[in-house]
Amino acid sequence: MSEPRRKPRTVHMEDYVPIVGAPEIQELHALASRLKGRSVQMVNSTSVGGGVAEILSRLVPLIKELGLNIRWDVMTGGDDFFEVTKAFHNALHGAPYEKPPESFEIFLAYNEQNRARLEMDSEFTIIHDPQPVALINGRKDRTGHWIWRCHIDLSQPNPKVWDFLEPYVLRYDGSLFSSPDFTHPTPIPQYLFYPSIDPLSEKNRDLEPEFVQGVLERFEIDAKRPILTQISRFDRLKDPVGVVQAYKIVKRYFDCQLVLAGGGAADDPEGGKVLDEVREVSAGDPDIFILDLPPWSALEINALQRASTIVIQKSLREGFGLTVTEALWKKKPVVASAVGGIPIQVIHKHTGMLAHSVEGTAYQLRYLLSNPAFASRLGRHGHEHVREQFLITSALSRYLTLFLHSMDHS
Amino acid sequence: MTKALHPFQFATATYLTCICNQRATRLAELQRGLAECSDASIFYHTFHSLRRHHFLTEGFSDDFAQWIMAACNLAELAEQLASLDLREYSNLTSLRNDIRSRVAGYCQAFPERAQQKAFEAFYFAEAIEVTLPLGIEAGTLEEFHQVLGKLSNASFHFHFVTSRLRLHLRNNDFSLWLSTALGLDDLAQRANRIDLYTNTLEAARQQLLDLISQEFAA
């Protein structure tokens, strides 16, 4: 395994020139030139762990390098606060809300505590997710531009929680969503802000072929035969059992291997059960590799994706699906379910293949294995699609455009 | 080398995507949406779609045609919409009218298909444009050639594609300047004929660079 949590090397804007091109980086500088010295504040609820912290840890230094005066603050709270916000999170995804009415007071008390602690006087304030949403109380006389960045699927929220949060959300100047599918109708503008991957991170950077080969050898995977891979935590919503069923259909026609790599089984009892079920349906097949990897396996995941012939994401429900983005970036043909943010990334027959069932997934896999030239073209187009829309440089461009638009229309 | 009295000023455009509170889950709803949505929405799903998907040169033209094909499985109508060439439009009203009339005609001919539920919803969105001068100019064809070679896709799309809507002409910024500032009418016309549907933006730009190189050689 790679070392646990190495400090990532500092990257600079110029490092992205070979990836997206010099003119694109020059344009980011040009966009930022009108915003030099302007103050920006990002607020979320955790400094490490989770996708939001990961994105901010890479985005904030780049915005600073572009000359904006950016600050990243993390809200603090006790266990009681985070228990409430976890229940909020589930309820906003449509789950029942069982907490007592006092839970709303706990939520507001911690928001108020943080409002008093944090300086909230930036020209542009981006509040991430529901936890700090009531910090809007710190806005002075409608000064500055306040934007709420919602990273979760808000399409069918539990009304008990949404009715409580909505009045705060409506006091923002706008909101940002990862997919049109995730929005909830509101009178404030809703902007589309795709999540992004960093092509220079350990999960996505180019790897030496020897390293990739080494990883395959370590897991005893045969590099000479087709490798079908799904990278996901062991969770029923990722349907790993369905992936094995699809593989078994494909196996009748092709001498291929299946890699199911992910984590989450060690610290999640439900994940452990799913892992057992996957092992049960895979029993006796030496060509199925079930890899329960620790959280610091970014390089191994990267290598497994790069070694794959086809990457699968057969989720039953999905967020944006950044594992799909990662696979597309690596020029891999992808077969994925048409759920969550996946259809935005996988344009059927152009940047990948969409499927709606076990049999459909198996059919698309067989089709791609039979038509390697077409598979390769999907991979190339998928890579371009990610370069255009889902890289950190596109996220930078969106933020700068948002700031300029807000400034010009204030 | 002729020097233009008014040099070409290069600019670029970036876009914010605004999600509208309007969606379609069947063709009949798309038909209604097409009547009610803003011009910015028509722009987003056609001109801007061409930029977002510029690397696709086979069977992809705009968001409407793609959704009708992929989510509604109505190949005939998708083909009708895909055949609309954005270069023929200098305003969004006539583009909207042509899309609407094709969709309406199909819904009238096949009312049951218009009510079939699509695999996935179509979300209307709008493009909010922020333009930005790049502070780069070209006074001669040679200078123009040099800058063009180093231009971003965004800037190229801005001058070569969306310029039709600003100029209200079936023309682009580059051709207009080549013709009016340098008197190169033939080169301007050939540039304006570059096919954006069978070329990626990079390939279209390369064709323009090649045309200029041929002009140097002539």
Side-chain angles (χ1 to χ4, degrees), chain A residues 204-223:
Chain A
N204 296 302
R205 69 175 170 83
D206 282 340
L207 296 175
E208 295 295 325
E210 296 75 24
F211 180 83
V212 175
Q213 182 60 35
V215 170
L216 291 185
E217 282 168 13
R218 201 182 320 157
F219 294 122
E220 299 179 347
I221 301 166
D222 180 2

Side-chain angles (χ1 to χ4, degrees), chain B residues 194-210:
Chain B
I194 293 173
D195 192 345
L196 283 164
Y197 289 89
T198 53
N199 286 297
T200 63
L201 281 182
E202 277 102 348
R205 179 154 51 128
Q206 190 53 53
Q207 279 196 26
L208 181 52
L209 286 166
D210 292 346

Side-chain angles (χ1 to χ4, degrees), chain A residues 101-368:
Chain A
E102 304 86 79
S103 59
F104 295 116
E105 286 159 31
I106 293 171
F107 178 86
L108 290 178
Y110 277 106
N111 266 266
E112 177 56 23
Q113 212 176 74
N114 279 276
R115 187 203 60 76
R117 182 179 65 86
L118 299 171
E119 278 179 46
M120 307 290 301
D121 54 359
S122 296
E123 190 167 351
F124 305 103
T125 303
I126 313 289
I127 301 291
H128 292 261
D129 279 336
Q131 297 92 333
V133 74
L135 289 180
I136 187 79
N137 285 338
R139 185 179 194 177
K140 296 172 189 104
D141 305 324
R142 286 199 66 81
T143 52
H145 305 279
W146 283 64
I147 304 287
W148 184 51
R149 172 59 165 114
C150 181
H151 293 269
I152 63 178
D153 181 349
L154 205 62
S155 55
Q156 290 174 319
N158 179 319
K160 215 189 271 183
V161 172
W162 178 241
D163 288 350
F164 168 73
L165 292 175
E166 191 183 26
Y168 296 99
V169 170
L170 297 189
R171 288 164 61 194
Y172 285 78
D173 297 314
S175 53
L176 313 176
F177 283 88
S178 300
S179 160
D181 241 349
F182 298 170
T183 58
H184 192 76
T186 60
I188 62 169
Q190 298 182 319
Y191 301 108
L192 186 58
F193 264 55
Y194 296 133
S196 60
I197 59 166
D198 188 339
L200 299 175
S201 69
E202 289 201 340
K203 239 189 261 181
N204 296 302
R205 69 175 170 83
D206 282 340
L207 296 175
E208 295 295 325
E210 296 75 24
F211 180 83
V212 175
Q213 182 60 35
V215 170
L216 291 185
E217 282 168 13
R218 201 182 320 157
F219 294 122
E220 299 179 347
I221 301 166
D222 180 2
K224 294 195 180 75
R225 289 184 296 146
I227 302 168
L228 314 177
T229 302
Q230 174 159 300
I231 306 286
S232 275
R233 65 180 190 275
F234 292 96
D235 178 326
R236 282 208 174 78
L237 293 177
K238 309 296 178 187
D239 199 17
V241 171
V243 176
V244 174
Q245 290 165 341
Y247 155 83
K248 284 183 175 175
I249 298 173
V250 178
K251 186 78 174 172
R252 293 184 215 149
Y253 306 88
F254 292 91
D255 180 19
C256 57
Q257 306 162 89
L258 175 67
V259 176
L260 287 167
D267 54 358
D268 172 15
E270 186 63 16
K273 270 190 223 162
V274 176
L275 186 57
D276 289 343
E277 286 168 21
V278 178
R279 286 193 174 124
E280 199 180 314
V281 293
S282 310
D285 188 334
D287 285 335
I288 300 180
F289 301 85
I290 300 163
L291 312 176
D292 184 16
L293 301 173
W296 54 85
S297 308
L299 282 173
E300 285 75 14
I301 297 284
N302 185 345
L304 289 169
Q305 286 170 325
R306 287 183 187 279
S308 301
T309 314
I310 302 171
V311 172
I312 306 166
Q313 190 62 54
K314 206 208 151 301
S315 304
L316 302 174
R317 194 171 166 179
E318 191 54 81
F320 188 73
L322 280 175
T323 50
V324 170
T325 325
E326 289 162 13
L328 294 174
W329 178 243
K330 296 174 181 95
K331 299 185 182 173
K332 294 297 156 184
V334 170
V335 175
S337 304
V339 294
I342 291 175
I344 294 171
Q345 305 179 63
V346 175
I347 306 171
H348 188 53
K349 295 184 185 172
H350 292 292
T351 63
M353 304 298 264
L354 292 174
H356 303 84
S357 62
V358 166
E359 294 76 13
T361 303
Y363 176 77
Q364 303 296 11
L365 290 167
R366 285 164 51 202
Y367 184 80
L368 293 181

Side-chain angles (χ1 to χ4, degrees), chain B:
Chain B
M1 188 65 67
T2 310
K3 190 154 178 77
L5 197 58
H6 300 290
F8 190 93
Q9 309 279 347
F10 288 90
T12 192
T14 61
Y15 295 89
L16 262 186
T17 302
C18 190
I19 306 161
C20 310
N21 288 330
Q22 190 180 20
R23 64 181 197 150
T25 56
R26 56 199 84 225
L27 187 64
E29 291 171 5
L30 184 81
Q31 186 189 2
R32 273 198 295 279
L34 283 166
E36 294 163 3
C37 72
S38 63
D39 276 358
S41 188
I42 296 289
F43 174 83
Y44 178 80
H45 294 297
T46 55
F47 278 86
H48 194 255
S49 177
L50 191 63
R51 171 174 154 180
R52 279 178 283 130
H53 305 111
H54 69 87
F55 50 88
L56 299 174
T57 54
E58 294 139 2
F60 193 101
S61 57
D62 63 56
D63 294 343
F64 300 123
Q66 175 63 20
W67 181 76
I68 288 166
M69 183 69 230
C72 303
N73 200 21
L74 300 172
E76 191 187 335
L77 178 60
E79 200 175 280
Q80 281 184 40
L81 293 190
S83 67
L84 296 173
D85 186 339
L86 295 184
R87 289 171 304 172
E88 299 296 320
Y89 294 93
S90 56
N91 66 72
L92 291 166
T93 306
S94 51
L95 176 59
R96 183 204 296 263
N97 288 343
D98 283 356
I99 296 169
R100 279 184 68 189
S101 70
R102 280 163 171 77
V103 173
Y106 193 88
C107 288
Q108 202 173 10
F110 304 102
E112 71 295 347
R113 291 185 200 170
Q115 295 301 335
Q116 270 171 20
K117 198 161 166 29
F119 285 132
E120 58 195 72
F122 183 91
Y123 292 90
F124 284 88
E126 292 178 348
I128 298 171
E129 187 180 82
V130 173
T131 56
L132 189 75
L134 289 173
I136 306 168
E137 60 180 39
T140 64
L141 190 60
E142 199 166 39
E143 287 170 3
F144 182 78
H145 185 265
Q146 273 172 14
V147 180
L148 187 65
K150 296 176 193 159
L151 218 51
S152 69
N153 282 335
S155 179
F156 182 77
H157 182 269
F158 176 73
H159 288 300
F160 197 64
V161 185
T162 64
S163 49
R164 283 161 165 73
L165 302 175
R166 289 192 306 279
L167 299 169
H168 296 293
L169 292 171
R170 285 180 189 170
N171 207 348
N172 65 82
D173 287 343
F174 297 145
S175 292
L176 192 68
W177 182 77
L178 291 169
S179 170
T180 57
L182 297 182
L184 299 168
D185 294 342
D186 185 48
L187 175 61
Q189 278 177 28
R190 279 185 288 148
N192 202 35
R193 282 201 294 268
I194 293 173
D195 192 345
L196 283 164
Y197 289 89
T198 53
N199 286 297
T200 63
L201 281 182
E202 277 102 348
R205 179 154 51 128
Q206 190 53 53
Q207 279 196 26
L208 181 52
L209 286 166
D210 292 346
L211 288 176
I212 297 170
S213 297
Q214 288 164 23
E215 186 74 24
F216 290 142

